Amino acid sequence: MTLPNLFNLLQKDFPVDIQALRTAHPEHWMRAAAIRTLTLDAVAAANSGHSGMPMGMADVATVLFEKHLKFDPKAPHWPDRDRFILSAGHGSMLIYALLHLTGYEQATLQQLKDFRQWGARTAGHPEYGHLEGVETTTGPLGQGIANSVGFALAEEILRARYGKNVINHHTYVIAGDGCLMEGVSQEAIGLAGMQKLGHLIVFFDNNNITIDGTVDMADITDQSARFAASGWHVLEIDGHDPKAIDKAIVAAKAETGRPTMINCKTHIALGHAAQDTSKGHGALTNADQLQAAKEAYGWDYGPFEIPADVKSQWEAFGDRGAAARADWDARFAKLSKSKQDEFNRAFALDAPKKLSATIKAFKKQASEAGKKVATRASSESVLEVINPIMAETVGGSADLTGSNNTKTADLGVHTPDNREGRYIHYGIREHGMAAAMNGMVLHGGIRPYGGTFMCFTDYARGAMRLSALMKVPTVYVMTHDSIGLGEDGPTHQPVEHLAMLRATPNTNVFRPADSVEVAEAWELALTEKETPSVLALSRQGLPLVRTEHKTKNMSAQGAYVLADAEAGKRQAILMATGSEVSVAMEARAILEAEGIGTRVVSMPCWELFEQQDEKIRKRVLPGGPVRVAIEAGIRFGWDRWLFGERGKREKSGFVGMHDFGASAPAPELFEQFGITAEATAQKVRELLG
Amino acid sequence: MTLPNLFNLLQKDFPVDIQALRTAHPEHWMRAAAIRTLTLDAVAAANSGHSGMPMGMADVATVLFEKHLKFDPKAPHWPDRDRFILSAGHGSMLIYALLHLTGYEQATLQQLKDFRQWGARTAGHPEYGHLEGVETTTGPLGQGIANSVGFALAEEILRARYGKNVINHHTYVIAGDGCLMEGVSQEAIGLAGMQKLGHLIVFFDNNNITIDGTVDMADITDQSARFAASGWHVLEIDGHDPKAIDKAIVAAKAETGRPTMINCKTHIALGHAAQDTSKGHGALTNADQLQAAKEAYGWDYGPFEIPADVKSQWEAFGDRGAAARADWDARFAKLSKSKQDEFNRAFALDAPKKLSATIKAFKKQASEAGKKVATRASSESVLEVINPIMAETVGGSADLTGSNNTKTADLGVHTPDNREGRYIHYGIREHGMAAAMNGMVLHGGIRPYGGTFMCFTDYARGAMRLSALMKVPTVYVMTHDSIGLGEDGPTHQPVEHLAMLRATPNTNVFRPADSVEVAEAWELALTEKETPSVLALSRQGLPLVRTEHKTKNMSAQGAYVLADAEAGKRQAILMATGSEVSVAMEARAILEAEGIGTRVVSMPCWELFEQQDEKIRKRVLPGGPVRVAIEAGIRFGWDRWLFGERGKREKSGFVGMHDFGASAPAPELFEQFGITAEATAQKVRELLG
């Protein structure tokens, strides 16, 4: 493919004179050149990576870290630090260079040399948990800017709760054209604009280059106008002019009533032969060109070599935060002991001691009441007792509040006028919601949960995967979890979504059968520190199956015997989740009446069951009896349980969906698709011959 | 939750006087009232559904169908009809009422009475294929507007190819706040703006109401400014003023150089007690309120009753298209016979006769050349021979053209200045790309394929599911299909995505092992009429495994024996897909050298294998030998094949991923994660004891 000569095109519109830049701000220039040359050296060593973006945004990042960012490399988890989010995560060498230069202990020079190698903290894209100072995992474009809305919301909520002496910081984001073309960015921009997140400042790396060519090959959007349309404060600057950068950040910080977007016109791969071209986006490894770029920079040093004076200037920026942090420690110490404890507990993701007793009490009451309730409604009832004792929960829904049952009486709606509100109307933005929730939990001090119809996990999936990859315990309340949704039809009826979620590593998928299991699922979700949870909840009313009160959290085992055959008479095991557990119980009644001893196993969380010892799994699912699984989703994945642990294979069958659903009242759908007690009993009879 | 009194709020800003509307345009009023009352009656009969949107947009739809829409109910598949897309699909009664009123044969009154019932064509949301006149399945918000970009692109491409005498129509869309809050809408808006799709006209149903409350509870975006920022022509009107509506549509049609957004200020549930409230969004079933609304409308008729004069006016609009259609037939007949054949063949989704021979020739050459090639590169080579003989293919990529290998030499880039171009730079918009591709195939005459990294099926998933549900053969070229992607790390390495896609009904997931299987996969994908295909392709070079030339498309069986043990000596079966087939072949060499007879089964497409007779499946995977599956993804779903067809369960094992990947060079990752020939051989040895 022939591309236009972008270099010339851009030179005409926005010329750059490296020598003039060097001369105008010589000290700044060398500091920024340190980022540029570390990037070139690391990418050359790895023989892969993305050179152009760090080279283009080095000036902005330098001024930000020099003059504005509140951070202390000695205390990377300081709760009141400013957050720096590299949404354009492919430019990972920018953040790695910054963390090294400013003195983060983990960001050693060796790590930069090991960029993109096995076991290094300096992964191809910034990975949360690998390297201190990396606030979130980025790379899938748009995620960082969408996370940042959650970071900024968390800051607002905690500032309102703890006061600005304790929480009062900014969230800075660098986003590129790619981030802004991804739809999730619009969800983030819209939500941030409406919420008037004045402490959120986004730098748009406006370099006019994507992998395929110039941006206008795919987009002619005036990004400044677009942000302004959603209520943002917008500034436009030359992204290589340190004075302009500083002035813009000062103005952005002064504007506390709106988020700010600083549109930074930049040159990708500044000063390199590939400047202003798509080639500049990728790995610039040519040794001669690399040397030429260094010469243009006036950088007379070897690979990975940073002159002492430049390094010491950078380290001084890193040291600057120590005093601010000490001040903060003193201010924090003035909080009441109980506030301090609450703050520390929430940041540690520890559940309150009361949670266990609260859940037990709820379960006792529910098992005694014996009501038929939709699990989404049970979930609301559980939240009604949890939210008052867990100030760190922040609920929300993607415009399905009444359907997802996510709002409890004590949660005020979070708005610019009510920053203490713990309920967020995310709008019709499942992806943005999920990413914002990830941002909140990453910020610390918040345990977010948010709801939509389970089918729209499809929309949220990009961020849900990152919850799992980052090991953050975001909670997804996914209601209307099957054809039980009824008339809205197949576009709204999940059939493959349980499989899709179960297939995802490090994701606990709960499909509780009744109020008791719902309470157990919430307890597990809210005590989890490293795994996101999905609660798949029914639209339709479900009879209580856990009629016998047990204080133990049975769901913690993942699967357990709910009802059994008489000793020695077990011929069948029925396995089911959620709304189909009561179907299994009905089928058991039919079979037992016919003299067929039948065990029912409720399997609310496969992942937790998989983590049990084999002997526990065998105790729940012993060899011998025929096995039938019942679930109003597709079979995919069920073979793991239908075929049993090692040893002899059991005869088995599946009662569930084989294709997409349909539009009709729910009871008719269960009949038409054959997901009934009688169909289950018949399957057992057939297997028994 | 207490909501503000929205009715009063809106009344203040935008009052409405039903009586004045009735008086001003009495005939129009009654025509629109027919839509409103059919909506009220059908929702009441179903006791579910969404009344407010059809009632709010009835005026716009009436004027559109009366004065502008080019359609012929007697020929619903007429290729040059205007397309009408109800992106706000929950308002399905709007389109059902329109189709009934204008005389679509399938849209009987009984169908309206059976709204949302089992077996009815009038599903809860408009379902493509259920009812003629429904151009696409909508309901998941934002899909319709994103499809429409594909419809409009298809129209541009075909107009350029066949001339405006044959293709020259508009795509009209109704989108609501929900559609516009979904991120995918931004991807659509951006792409349509850049492509200057002058025949695309979007009506924004600006009623300020969502399910949770007023729009400003979640969004303060100035939608007119937002569209304008992406290069759209924007008009703002009172959506209940038929003259204003007409004038706007006239202006929109006159603007051929840009897509038009008509911002229609409307009252949801106009004239009902629930007007201008969230309640009005849902099912308005209260009998007294229903009657009161009818009285306000001056509608003195029973349920589902349309007075003859109103019905005949509507039918006249339906009849209007017959003459235009007859003219079109005459114009079409003037095309050369070969052009007509090509046109009809493409609209019938028939592959050209030459395809089979072309693929066979490619396979022969590839199997003889014996080169090590990445399957993404093989895919490009196959496309190089296919695209020249299939004028209906339209390729593209979400800004990864060089990585996805989707562009062939003969495909010009589609731009406003080159409407014949068959390659689309979709931008960094996986979801928008997928939805646009669905729109193109739904339009007819086009077979779209588009690429991104396989991991970003996460982003495209909302539209990919709809390909499957709608039964349209969109082709997804998903490259970098495993940890073989290497240094970019776990954010870019799919591990659960094969499972996720295989779990989705009606989706053929191909993971070809080499150039020959790639060619076979393309042949199957491009001859498919009702099933989307995903091609999972490697970044890394793969040795040829199909060294023996076979003219038969072996992949069509889904799985087949690639290499076998000597008769009677078979102790192990290795099953693998894609890049791991060569690993299996290496393992086989090790095992055979040790005297362990080993069969290798390549399984490029599970779905096609599942469709085979059990006896074929048993022939490929006979009972007896131990089984080991090798795939650089997670195990989820493999148990289906590891445990064999009925009968005795085999000893089995899995060599693959157990968690997310990591950032490092690909060969190191395969070693570290133990996906090697030696690990496979060792697994076999262990199973054999």
Side-chain angles (χ1 to χ4, degrees), chain A residues 272-333:
Chain A
H272 188 279
Q275 177 185 308
D276 299 323
T277 68
S278 285
K279 190 173 178 306
H281 171 91
L284 302 177
T285 53
N286 177 290
D288 293 339
Q289 291 181 343
L290 192 157
Q291 195 49 43
K294 286 191 176 178
E295 277 165 25
Y297 299 162
W299 189 266
D300 190 22
Y301 309 102
F304 295 104
E305 187 185 345
I306 309 292
D309 64 321
V310 173
K311 184 70 165 79
S312 70
Q313 288 169 38
W314 272 109
E315 283 170 1
F317 308 155
D319 293 341
R320 173 168 50 76
R325 207 250 303 180
D327 283 353
W328 184 86
D329 286 344
R331 293 197 303 274
F332 183 76

Side-chain angles (χ1 to χ4, degrees), chain A residues 140-161:
Chain A
L141 292 171
Q143 293 297 327
I145 188 171
N147 292 156
S148 75
V149 177
F151 275 93
L153 278 167
E155 198 258 349
E156 294 286 358
I157 293 167
L158 297 176
R159 181 149 39 88
R161 184 173 314 150

Side-chain angles (χ1 to χ4, degrees), chain A residues 534-547:
Chain A
V534 177
L535 275 64
L537 304 174
S538 75
R539 177 194 185 194
Q540 72 274 29
L542 301 182
L544 191 82
V545 295
R546 284 281 292 280
T547 47

Side-chain angles (χ1 to χ4, degrees), chain B residues 367-444:
Chain B
S367 64
E368 286 166 4
K371 281 195 203 143
K372 181 170 181 173
V373 194
T375 47
R376 64 184 172 124
S378 308
S379 172
E380 181 176 343
S381 302
V382 176
L383 288 169
E384 289 285 5
V385 298
I386 289 174
N387 282 334
I389 63 163
M390 289 185 79
E392 65 268 39
T393 56
V394 170
S397 165
D399 197 46
L400 288 167
T401 295
S403 298
N404 301 144
N405 300 65
T406 35
K407 189 167 184 307
T408 57
D410 61 322
L411 297 188
V413 173
H414 188 92
T415 67
D417 299 325
N418 182 27
R419 293 302 189 191
E420 295 191 355
R422 286 163 57 197
Y423 191 80
I424 296 172
H425 287 291
Y426 287 102
I428 299 120
R429 303 180 177 116
E430 300 80 9
H431 200 176
M433 173 176 74
M437 290 200 293
N438 285 342
M440 277 187 241
V441 64
L442 288 164
H443 177 282

Side-chain angles (χ1 to χ4, degrees), chain A residues 116 124-125 141 182-183 187 210 212 218 221-222 229-230 399 401 429-430 458-459 461 465 488 496 643 663, chain B residues 116 124-125 141 182-183 187 210 212 218 221-222 229-230 399 401 429-430 458-459 461 465 488 496 663:
Chain A
R116 297 183 147 233
H125 292 82
L141 292 171
E182 292 288 1
E187 303 185 18
T210 70
D212 276 4
T221 298
D222 175 342
S230 287
D399 197 47
T401 294
R429 304 180 177 117
E430 299 80 7
D458 283 343
Y459 279 51
R461 167 97 200 132
R465 182 180 206 249
D488 273 351
E496 74 275 38
F643 292 129
S663 171
Chain B
R116 298 183 147 234
H125 292 81
L141 292 171
E182 291 289 0
E187 303 185 17
T210 71
D212 276 4
T221 298
D222 176 341
S230 288
D399 197 46
T401 295
R429 303 180 177 116
E430 300 80 9
D458 284 343
Y459 279 50
R461 167 100 199 129
R465 184 180 203 247
D488 273 352
E496 73 274 40
S663 171

Side-chain angles (χ1 to χ4, degrees), chain A residues 469-489:
Chain A
L469 180 59
M470 290 193 282
K471 301 186 180 164
V472 293
T474 306
V475 181
Y476 297 94
V477 181
M478 297 306 194
T479 71
H480 299 61
D481 69 346
S482 76
I483 52 166
L485 165 135
E487 292 90 341
D488 273 351

Side-chain angles (χ1 to χ4, degrees), chain B residues 85 136 142-155 157 184 187-189 191-192 195 197 394 424-426 429-444 446-450 460 462-464 466-467 470 472 474-476:
Chain B
I85 292 165
T136 181
Q143 293 297 328
I145 188 172
N147 292 155
S148 75
V149 177
F151 276 93
L153 278 167
E155 198 258 349
I157 293 167
V184 69
E187 303 185 17
I189 292 164
L191 182 57
Q195 287 286 358
L197 299 174
V394 170
I424 296 172
H425 287 291
Y426 287 102
R429 303 180 177 116
E430 300 80 9
H431 200 176
M433 173 176 74
M437 290 200 293
N438 285 342
M440 277 187 241
V441 64
L442 288 164
H443 177 282
I446 303 281
R447 270 198 186 264
Y449 67 85
M464 291 179 77
L466 285 168
S467 309
M470 292 193 280
V472 292
T474 306
V475 181
Y476 297 95

Side-chain angles (χ1 to χ4, degrees), chain A residues 614-636:
Chain A
E614 188 179 333
K615 68 174 190 232
I616 291 178
R617 291 202 304 264
K618 271 186 151 166
R619 207 181 297 147
V620 176
L621 297 175
V626 302
R627 295 183 181 189
V628 174
I630 311 123
E631 186 168 78
I634 59 143
R635 177 177 174 142
F636 201 88

